[in-house]
Amino acid sequence: MFLSLFFADAALALLATAAALVAGGRASGSGGRPGRWLYLTAVLVAARLVIALVVLGRGLVLADSRLFVQVPLATLPVAWAVWRPGRTAARVMAAGVTLSAWWLYVPFGPRDTGYVLVGSAAALALIGGLSTGLDAWRRSGTRAARVPWLSAVFLLVPAVALVLGGQAGAAPPGGHQHAVAGGGGVGVDQLTGPRDREPEVRVTLTAAHGTVRLASGRTVAALTFNGVAPGPEIRVTQGQLVEVTLVNTDVEEGVTVHWHGVDVPNAEDGVPGVTQDAVQPGQRHVYRFVPDRAGTFWYHTHREALDTVRRGLFGALIVTEPDTARFDGIERTVFTHEWPVEGGSAVPALDRADRPARYAAGAGRKVRLRLVNSSTDPRRIHVGGARYTVTALDGNTVRGADPVDPGTDLLLAAGGRYDIAFTMPDTPVTLSYAGNGGTAALALSPDGTAPPADLDDGTLFDPLSYGTGTEAAPVAYDRTYDLRLDDGFGFGQNGFGFVSSLINGRLYPAVPTLEVTEGDRVKVRIAHRGFNDHPLHLHGHRIQVLSRNGTPTTGSPWWTDTLNVAPGDVFEIAFTADNPGIWMDHCHNFEHAADGMIMHLAYTGVSSPYEADHMPE
């Protein structure tokens, strides 16, 4: 619903601007009357007001810029022009409606509202005064006064936006603390994993160019770890010291390894320009960390990730609980991925299976599927043929989980994970990749010969009320932040452009850093007012969802590290600042991150000696 409203508002803003400019132009002509275009403009602006009021029903944070800035900039001049039609009123109306649309397409942060209102009001006043003066000069017969009034609009509107945008873009390059926040302190490179004992697990990951063949026979000019993509599964036990040596054979972009969802020490996080330098061809780098909880995690490069992860530099990291009985059943880790095949568009697949795959699973056997979304967009997964239990979300165990009905779908955020479990019936069970024009599916049956079933969209699984909740004690928060996600034009590292990646009206590197002190309890409100889903991923911490769209979490505590925020969503989340460092906090749609949807969580007293030579993704 809200996506449709946002699209409708954007379209109405454009139509209202066009109608207002025509009305203003007609008023400036020999007839001096705007005609029916004035009333068409009024209707379009009134429709925008209705949409703003509907959006207000989800919360003021979604509607405030429309109600307090955009709509007043249009409605007040339109009301004046309808009440007292005339040249000046029509021209001011055209300017006001244009400014209203401008500030829809060039969003601004909460702290910018005063600048925007003052600048816009000054522009309207100047245009009104200029218009009155021009008319007076024209009546006096001064030919020099015949300056097209629209030129003032087209000069003043961009000028105001450029001044304000230039102030917004005045943050220092890098977007995070290279100097020590608060003075003194420690460097990121000192926040390492254990170096004083032998590791229990040693792994080498060698990055190199290679070719990957999908199940259909299509090939991918891939980047591989140890010659395969996805890379080798790393399986360790909770509490073990893990040592991973990354070797770059010939990947010109450089390589790092980020341990997605694992709260590693900051120096082991694998973000080039923030926690380390990228590993160049012929170089190596050693990571050491101790996973502190069991679950399904994954690893991937964080260098030029939009291209290099898509081409194969990723793999599974499975952390098992210590001293527990071995799982006596069938277990599979399944990536949902879109491969850039040679000579074609991206192909959806489950791991490398871009066509239906069949597997044998004896009736009565326990089955555990670990689902990981390594693509850039949320993926809807159909599960049919058996009741199943969601046992974990992003590596966090779900308390009191009960089986859901067959046909319940799962929405995996980009970077997100679900663990599901069921007892194999004597009939087939199907896991299929919904939509995207692909045929990827996995069919389990007792003899391994049954084809996957055709599954339609079912009820979407909702973590908000799933499982058994516990009444939480009130929490006093040390820091609170407000994040508003928008689409529009913005100033980023690559200049001025239209993107789906604005945070509080800013793009990297101008997005403010979230500063915390170790031990702080932090609460963040996230409101999404744009057109595309944003899977927000905070490195080094897990977050707890407190509420969505005003409804508190009532099921098992919803812990996550990659939260999918859809258009119109308002989330309240919280976390404890218990892992010192400078951490990436970004959209895990790597295209959005590349556009500038990146911010940092910086602890006071921590600095980074590294410098980003490009947009860190």
Side-chain angles (χ1 to χ4, degrees), residues 546-592:
L546 305 177
S547 69
R548 184 188 63 213
N549 303 328
T551 302
T553 304
T554 57
S556 173
W558 182 355
W559 291 99
T560 182
D561 55 65
T562 312
L563 180 66
N564 192 75
V565 186
D569 276 346
V570 179
F571 278 96
E572 287 186 320
I573 64 170
F575 64 91
T576 300
D578 56 3
N579 195 3
I582 297 173
W583 300 97
M584 287 276 284
D585 188 3
H586 65 104
C587 182
H588 217 270
N589 180 318
F590 290 123
E591 183 175 354
H592 297 168

Coordinates of all heavy atoms in Angstrom, one line a residue, residues 546-592:
L546 N 12.4 -4.0 18.6 CA 11.4 -3.7 19.6 C 10.0 -3.6 19.1 O 9.0 -4.1 19.8 CB 11.8 -2.4 20.3 CG 13.2 -2.3 20.9 CD1 13.5 -0.9 21.5 CD2 13.4 -3.4 21.9
S547 N 9.8 -3.0 17.9 CA 8.5 -2.9 17.4 C 8.6 -2.6 15.9 O 9.6 -2.2 15.4 CB 7.8 -1.7 18.0 OG 8.4 -0.4 17.7
R548 N 7.5 -2.9 15.2 CA 7.4 -2.6 13.8 C 6.0 -1.9 13.6 O 5.0 -2.4 13.9 CB 7.4 -3.9 12.9 CG 7.4 -3.6 11.4 CD 7.3 -4.9 10.7 NE 6.0 -5.6 10.9 CZ 5.9 -6.9 11.0 NH1 6.9 -7.7 10.7 NH2 4.7 -7.5 11.2
N549 N 6.1 -0.7 13.0 CA 4.9 0.0 12.7 C 4.0 0.2 13.9 O 2.7 0.1 13.9 CB 4.1 -0.6 11.6 CG 4.9 -0.8 10.3 OD1 5.8 0.0 10.0 ND2 4.7 -1.8 9.6
G550 N 4.6 0.4 15.1 CA 3.9 0.7 16.3 C 3.5 -0.5 17.1 O 3.0 -0.4 18.2
T551 N 3.7 -1.7 16.5 CA 3.3 -3.0 17.2 C 4.5 -3.6 17.8 O 5.5 -3.9 17.1 CB 2.7 -4.0 16.2 OG1 1.6 -3.4 15.5 CG2 2.2 -5.2 16.9
P552 N 4.5 -3.8 19.2 CA 5.7 -4.3 19.8 C 5.8 -5.8 19.5 O 4.9 -6.5 19.1 CB 5.3 -4.2 21.3 CG 4.2 -3.2 21.4 CD 3.5 -3.3 20.1
T553 N 7.1 -6.3 19.6 CA 7.4 -7.7 19.4 C 6.8 -8.5 20.6 O 7.0 -8.1 21.7 CB 8.9 -7.9 19.4 OG1 9.5 -7.1 18.4 CG2 9.2 -9.4 19.1
T554 N 6.0 -9.5 20.2 CA 5.3 -10.3 21.3 C 5.8 -11.8 21.3 O 5.5 -12.5 22.2 CB 3.8 -10.3 21.1 OG1 3.5 -10.8 19.8 CG2 3.3 -8.9 21.3
G555 N 6.5 -12.2 20.3 CA 7.0 -13.6 20.2 C 8.3 -13.7 20.9 O 8.7 -12.9 21.8
S556 N 9.1 -14.7 20.4 CA 10.5 -14.9 20.9 C 11.2 -13.6 20.6 O 11.0 -12.9 19.6 CB 11.1 -16.0 20.2 OG 12.5 -16.1 20.5
P557 N 12.1 -13.1 21.5 CA 12.9 -11.9 21.2 C 13.5 -12.0 19.8 O 14.2 -13.0 19.4 CB 14.0 -11.9 22.3 CG 13.4 -12.7 23.4 CD 12.5 -13.7 22.8
W558 N 13.2 -11.0 19.0 CA 13.6 -10.9 17.6 C 15.0 -10.3 17.5 O 15.2 -9.1 17.4 CB 12.6 -10.1 16.8 CG 12.8 -10.1 15.3 CD1 13.9 -10.5 14.6 CD2 12.0 -9.4 14.3 NE1 13.8 -10.3 13.3 CE2 12.6 -9.6 13.1 CE3 10.8 -8.8 14.4 CZ2 12.1 -9.1 11.9 CZ3 10.2 -8.3 13.2 CH2 10.8 -8.5 12.0
W559 N 16.0 -11.2 17.5 CA 17.4 -10.8 17.3 C 17.8 -11.0 15.9 O 17.4 -12.0 15.2 CB 18.3 -11.6 18.2 CG 18.2 -11.3 19.7 CD1 17.4 -12.1 20.6 CD2 18.7 -10.3 20.4 NE1 17.5 -11.5 21.8 CE2 18.3 -10.4 21.8 CE3 19.5 -9.2 20.1 CZ2 18.7 -9.5 22.8 CZ3 19.9 -8.3 21.1 CH2 19.5 -8.5 22.4
T560 N 18.5 -10.0 15.3 CA 18.9 -10.1 13.9 C 20.2 -9.3 13.7 O 20.6 -8.5 14.6 CB 17.7 -9.5 13.0 OG1 18.1 -9.6 11.7 CG2 17.4 -8.1 13.3
D561 N 20.8 -9.5 12.6 CA 21.9 -8.6 12.2 C 21.7 -8.0 10.8 O 22.4 -7.1 10.4 CB 23.2 -9.4 12.2 CG 23.2 -10.6 11.3 OD1 23.0 -10.5 10.1 OD2 23.3 -11.7 11.9
T562 N 20.6 -8.4 10.1 CA 20.3 -7.9 8.8 C 18.7 -7.7 8.8 O 18.0 -8.7 8.6 CB 20.7 -8.8 7.7 OG1 22.1 -9.2 7.9 CG2 20.6 -8.1 6.3
L563 N 18.3 -6.5 8.9 CA 16.8 -6.2 9.0 C 16.3 -5.6 7.7 O 16.8 -4.6 7.3 CB 16.6 -5.2 10.2 CG 15.2 -4.8 10.4 CD1 14.3 -6.0 10.9 CD2 15.1 -3.6 11.4
N564 N 15.4 -6.4 7.1 CA 14.8 -5.9 5.9 C 13.7 -4.8 6.2 O 12.7 -5.1 6.9 CB 14.1 -7.0 5.1 CG 13.7 -6.6 3.7 OD1 14.6 -6.4 2.8 ND2 12.5 -6.3 3.4
V565 N 13.9 -3.6 5.7 CA 13.0 -2.5 5.9 C 12.3 -2.2 4.6 O 13.0 -1.7 3.7 CB 13.8 -1.2 6.5 CG1 12.8 -0.2 6.8 CG2 14.6 -1.6 7.7
A566 N 11.0 -2.4 4.6 CA 10.2 -2.2 3.3 C 9.6 -0.8 3.3 O 9.6 -0.2 4.3 CB 9.1 -3.3 3.3
P567 N 9.2 -0.3 2.1 CA 8.6 1.0 2.0 C 7.4 1.1 3.0 O 6.6 0.2 3.1 CB 8.2 1.0 0.6 CG 9.1 0.2 -0.2 CD 9.4 -1.0 0.8
G568 N 7.4 2.2 3.8 CA 6.3 2.4 4.7 C 6.6 1.8 6.1 O 5.8 2.1 7.0
D569 N 7.7 1.1 6.3 CA 8.0 0.5 7.6 C 8.6 1.5 8.5 O 9.4 2.3 8.1 CB 8.9 -0.7 7.4 CG 8.2 -2.0 7.1 OD1 7.0 -2.1 7.2 OD2 8.9 -2.9 6.7
V570 N 8.2 1.4 9.8 CA 8.9 2.1 10.9 C 9.3 1.1 11.9 O 8.4 0.5 12.6 CB 8.0 3.2 11.5 CG1 8.7 3.9 12.6 CG2 7.5 4.2 10.4
F571 N 10.6 0.9 12.1 CA 11.1 0.0 13.1 C 11.7 0.7 14.3 O 12.3 1.8 14.1 CB 12.2 -0.9 12.5 CG 11.6 -2.1 11.7 CD1 11.5 -2.0 10.3 CD2 11.3 -3.3 12.4 CE1 11.0 -3.1 9.6 CE2 10.8 -4.4 11.6 CZ 10.7 -4.3 10.3
E572 N 11.6 0.2 15.5 CA 12.4 0.6 16.6 C 13.3 -0.6 17.0 O 12.8 -1.7 17.2 CB 11.5 0.9 17.8 CG 10.8 2.3 17.6 CD 10.1 2.7 18.9 OE1 9.4 1.8 19.5 OE2 10.1 3.9 19.2
I573 N 14.6 -0.4 17.0 CA 15.5 -1.4 17.4 C 16.4 -1.0 18.5 O 16.5 0.2 18.8 CB 16.4 -1.8 16.1 CG1 17.2 -0.6 15.7 CG2 15.5 -2.3 15.0 CD1 18.3 -0.9 14.7
A574 N 17.1 -1.9 19.1 CA 18.0 -1.6 20.2 C 19.2 -2.5 20.2 O 19.1 -3.6 19.7 CB 17.3 -1.7 21.5
F575 N 20.3 -2.0 20.7 CA 21.5 -2.9 20.8 C 22.4 -2.3 22.0 O 22.2 -1.2 22.4 CB 22.3 -3.0 19.5 CG 22.9 -1.7 19.1 CD1 24.2 -1.3 19.4 CD2 22.2 -0.9 18.2 CE1 24.8 -0.1 19.0 CE2 22.8 0.3 17.7 CZ 24.0 0.7 18.1
T576 N 23.3 -3.2 22.4 CA 24.2 -2.7 23.4 C 25.6 -2.5 22.8 O 26.1 -3.4 22.0 CB 24.4 -3.8 24.5 OG1 23.1 -4.0 25.2 CG2 25.4 -3.4 25.6
A577 N 26.2 -1.4 23.1 CA 27.5 -1.1 22.5 C 28.6 -1.8 23.4 O 29.1 -1.3 24.3 CB 27.8 0.4 22.6
D578 N 28.8 -3.1 23.0 CA 29.7 -4.0 23.8 C 30.9 -4.5 23.0 O 31.5 -5.5 23.4 CB 28.9 -5.1 24.4 CG 28.1 -5.9 23.3 OD1 28.3 -5.6 22.1 OD2 27.4 -6.8 23.7
N579 N 31.2 -3.9 21.8 CA 32.2 -4.4 21.0 C 33.0 -3.2 20.4 O 32.6 -2.8 19.3 CB 31.7 -5.3 19.9 CG 32.7 -6.2 19.2 OD1 33.9 -6.1 19.5 ND2 32.3 -6.9 18.2
P580 N 34.0 -2.7 21.1 CA 34.6 -1.4 20.6 C 35.2 -1.5 19.2 O 35.7 -2.5 18.8 CB 35.7 -1.2 21.7 CG 35.2 -2.0 22.9 CD 34.5 -3.2 22.3
G581 N 35.1 -0.4 18.5 CA 35.6 -0.3 17.2 C 35.0 0.8 16.4 O 34.2 1.6 16.9
I582 N 35.2 0.7 15.1 CA 34.5 1.5 14.1 C 33.9 0.6 13.1 O 34.6 -0.2 12.4 CB 35.5 2.5 13.4 CG1 36.1 3.5 14.4 CG2 34.8 3.2 12.2 CD1 37.2 4.3 13.8
W583 N 32.6 0.6 13.1 CA 31.8 -0.5 12.4 C 31.0 0.0 11.3 O 30.4 1.1 11.4 CB 30.9 -1.2 13.4 CG 31.6 -1.8 14.6 CD1 31.8 -1.3 15.8 CD2 32.3 -3.1 14.6 NE1 32.5 -2.1 16.6 CE2 32.8 -3.3 15.9 CE3 32.4 -4.1 13.6 CZ2 33.5 -4.4 16.2 CZ3 33.1 -5.3 14.0 CH2 33.6 -5.4 15.3
M584 N 31.0 -0.7 10.2 CA 30.1 -0.4 9.1 C 28.6 -0.6 9.5 O 28.3 -1.6 10.2 CB 30.4 -1.3 7.9 CG 31.6 -1.0 7.2 SD 31.4 0.3 6.0 CE 30.6 -0.5 4.7
D585 N 27.7 0.2 9.1 CA 26.3 0.1 9.2 C 25.7 0.5 7.9 O 25.7 1.7 7.6 CB 25.8 1.0 10.4 CG 24.3 0.7 10.7 OD1 23.7 -0.2 10.1 OD2 23.8 1.4 11.6
H586 N 25.2 -0.5 7.1 CA 24.9 -0.1 5.7 C 23.8 -1.0 5.1 O 23.4 -2.0 5.7 CB 26.2 -0.3 4.8 CG 26.7 -1.8 4.8 ND1 26.5 -2.6 3.7 CD2 27.3 -2.5 5.7 CE1 27.0 -3.8 3.9 NE2 27.5 -3.8 5.1
C587 N 23.3 -0.6 4.0 CA 22.3 -1.4 3.3 C 23.1 -2.6 2.6 O 24.1 -2.4 2.0 CB 21.6 -0.6 2.2 SG 20.4 -1.5 1.3
H588 N 22.6 -3.8 2.8 CA 23.2 -5.0 2.2 C 22.8 -5.3 0.8 O 23.2 -6.3 0.2 CB 23.0 -6.2 3.1 CG 24.2 -7.1 3.2 ND1 24.5 -8.1 2.3 CD2 25.3 -7.1 4.0 CE1 25.6 -8.7 2.6 NE2 26.1 -8.1 3.6
N589 N 22.0 -4.4 0.2 CA 21.9 -4.4 -1.2 C 23.1 -3.6 -1.7 O 23.2 -2.4 -1.5 CB 20.6 -3.6 -1.6 CG 20.4 -3.6 -3.1 OD1 21.4 -3.3 -3.9 ND2 19.2 -3.8 -3.6
F590 N 24.1 -4.3 -2.2 CA 25.4 -3.7 -2.5 C 25.3 -2.6 -3.5 O 26.1 -1.7 -3.5 CB 26.4 -4.8 -3.0 CG 26.8 -5.7 -1.9 CD1 26.6 -7.1 -2.0 CD2 27.3 -5.3 -0.7 CE1 27.0 -8.0 -1.0 CE2 27.7 -6.1 0.3 CZ 27.5 -7.5 0.1
E591 N 24.2 -2.6 -4.3 CA 24.0 -1.5 -5.3 C 23.7 -0.2 -4.5 O 24.2 0.9 -4.8 CB 22.9 -1.8 -6.3 CG 22.7 -0.7 -7.3 CD 21.7 -1.1 -8.3 OE1 21.2 -2.3 -8.3 OE2 21.3 -0.2 -9.2
H592 N 22.9 -0.3 -3.5 CA 22.5 0.8 -2.6 C 23.8 1.3 -1.9 O 24.0 2.5 -1.7 CB 21.4 0.5 -1.7 CG 20.1 0.2 -2.4 ND1 19.0 -0.4 -1.7 CD2 19.7 0.3 -3.7 CE1 18.1 -0.6 -2.6 NE2 18.5 -0.2 -3.8

